[in-house]
């Protein structure tokens, strides 16, 4: 591979981690898609990405802890089932037709994304009030296992599944959802990598590609964690929910047999609505801050 492609890979790793670290999802899907476009086999692409993620998620986790974006209770509830699911997913990737389940996962994620969007838009102030945590493992164990399994088999899925599921609850602050999901992903990436190395062997991994992705991600990790620290909770929720819908609608269009013309129309409409909602949320946040400042002054 020439130097130009390595630089592109490093930039993709940087952009992917910037999105992943600030929105709680995106690194695996973005990076794996690029490797597949280069003609890499799905298992090898997923293995390369997860090996890079072992280092980028470690850096991201340290950064999120530094900025106070982490709930340690959530991490401990997610890492064990997530790691088990990731190891099994990596082990059976070559035998599992994971693509047949993708449309159903996309429908579920879009539904969650729309629910998050509506809840935070309707009740932005209420969304910032965090209720007492229930502490039940009934929710976290299956969530961690399923998210870890699909993360390994699909080259990405920990964030897209875990982040919206946790955001749909009323008892976890959005920035701590993102920080905790990102931090716990270290264990998922490590388990996936072990599974891939045992199944494929180290000789099947393109280590140069992996290192290029890793370096870009390491640069972006602290920047993304800082963005989560300073962005308003309801703005994060609107951005994340739009990301969920935008990244999953292609699967539904394929399932519906839509023509090529529908793709451009659909993506343009979603992007336009998403931009309007983000602009509206920012303006409402500024008005709320200004109103609070006036009240304090009086």
């Amino acid at each position: 591979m020439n130097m130009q492609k390595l630089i592109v890979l490093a930039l993709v790793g940087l952009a992917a981690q910037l999105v992943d670290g600030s929105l709680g999802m995106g690194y695996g899907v973005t990076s794996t898609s690029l490797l597949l476009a280069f003609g890499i086999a799905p298992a090898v692409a997923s293995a390369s990405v997860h090996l890079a993620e072992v280092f980028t998620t470690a850096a991201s986790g340290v950064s999120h802890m530094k900025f106070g974006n982490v709930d340690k209770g959530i991490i401990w509830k997610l890492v064990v089932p997530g790691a088990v699911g990731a190891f099994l997913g990596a082990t059976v990737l070559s035998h599992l037709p994971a693509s047949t389940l993708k449309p159903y996962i996309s429908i579920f994620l879009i539904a969650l994304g729309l629910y998050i969007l509506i809840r935070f838009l309707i009740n932005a102030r209420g969304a910032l009030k965090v209720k007492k945590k229930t502490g039940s493992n009934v929710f976290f164990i299956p969530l961690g296992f399923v998210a870890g399994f699909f993360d390994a088999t699909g080259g990405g899925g920990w964030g897209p599944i875990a982040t919206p599921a946790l955001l749909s609850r009323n008892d976890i602050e959005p920035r701590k959802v993102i920080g905790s999901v990102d931090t716990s992903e270290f264990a998922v990436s490590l388990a996936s990598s072990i599974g891939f190395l045992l199944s494929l062997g180290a000789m099947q991994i393109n280590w140069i590609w992996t290192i290029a992705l890793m370096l870009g991600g390491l640069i972006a990790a602290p920047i993304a964690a800082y963005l989560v620290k300073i962005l308003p909770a309801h703005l994060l929720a609107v951005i994340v929910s739009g990301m969920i819908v935008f990244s999953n609608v292609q699967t539904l269009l394929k399932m519906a047999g839509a023509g090529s013309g529908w793709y451009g129309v659909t993506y343009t409409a979603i992007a336009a609505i998403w931009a309007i909602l983000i602009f509206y949320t920012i303006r409402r946040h500024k008005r709320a801050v200004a109103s609070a400042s006036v009240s304090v002054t009086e």
Side-chain angles (χ1 to χ4, degrees):
M1 174 180 288
N2 58 39
M3 182 59 66
Q4 184 179 0
K5 287 185 178 180
L6 288 177
I7 293 174
V8 170
L9 277 173
L11 291 175
V12 168
L14 188 150
Q17 182 58 44
L18 193 61
V19 172
D20 188 274
S22 57
L23 300 184
M25 65 186 75
Y27 187 93
V29 174
T30 304
S31 302
T32 303
S33 298
L34 177 72
L35 293 182
L36 291 176
F38 283 153
I40 297 296
V44 177
S46 185
S48 301
V49 169
H50 282 93
L51 283 164
E53 279 189 305
V54 170
F55 298 93
T56 60
T57 54
S60 183
V62 171
S63 299
H64 278 298
M65 287 182 182
K66 179 181 177 181
F67 290 112
N69 300 331
V70 170
D71 185 317
K72 293 182 180 179
I74 295 175
I75 293 175
W76 288 115
K77 290 175 184 177
L78 286 176
V79 290
V80 174
V84 172
F87 180 83
L88 291 176
T91 303
V92 303
L93 174 59
S94 59
H95 303 94
L96 179 71
S99 59
T100 60
L101 298 176
K102 190 173 181 181
Y104 303 101
I105 296 294
S106 294
I107 292 172
F108 171 71
L109 291 175
I110 287 177
L112 272 179
L114 292 175
Y115 169 73
I116 295 165
L117 179 66
I118 293 171
R119 181 167 70 84
F120 276 80
L121 280 177
I122 292 177
N123 188 24
R125 292 183 180 179
L128 297 173
K129 298 176 181 178
V130 180
K131 299 179 182 178
K132 185 178 179 180
K133 296 180 178 62
T134 60
S136 173
N137 290 325
V138 176
F139 175 79
F140 289 96
I141 291 177
L143 172 63
F145 181 84
V146 171
F149 185 87
F150 280 100
D151 187 82
T153 57
W158 179 253
I161 294 176
T163 299
L166 291 175
L167 280 175
S168 68
R169 296 165 61 96
N170 290 321
D171 57 0
I172 310 171
E173 195 176 349
R175 70 182 181 93
K176 291 196 173 183
V177 167
I178 294 171
S180 300
V181 169
D182 256 23
T183 303
S184 58
E185 193 172 7
F186 169 76
V188 174
S189 299
L190 182 61
S192 297
S193 298
I194 293 172
F196 281 123
L197 287 173
L198 291 175
S199 301
L200 298 174
M203 296 300 294
Q204 293 291 324
I205 309 299
N206 191 317
W207 292 100
I208 296 179
W209 293 30
T210 299
I211 292 171
L213 288 170
M214 178 192 71
L215 291 176
L218 289 175
I219 295 171
I223 301 172
Y226 178 70
L227 289 177
V228 173
K229 174 73 175 179
I230 64 174
L231 287 177
H234 47 281
L235 177 58
L236 276 175
V238 172
I239 294 173
V240 170
S241 59
M243 179 82 171
I244 296 166
V245 174
F246 199 84
S247 60
N248 284 281
V249 71
Q250 180 181 5
T251 302
L252 300 187
L253 289 172
K254 286 183 178 179
M255 187 173 62
S260 58
W262 281 103
Y263 283 75
V265 172
T266 303
Y267 280 122
T268 301
I270 293 174
I273 295 172
W274 191 13
I276 291 170
L277 291 175
I278 291 174
F279 178 73
Y280 166 75
T281 305
I282 292 173
R283 288 200 62 182
R284 185 168 62 175
H285 174 70
K286 288 182 177 179
R287 287 199 299 267
V289 171
S291 177
S293 298
V294 171
S295 298
V296 170
T297 303
E298 294 177 350

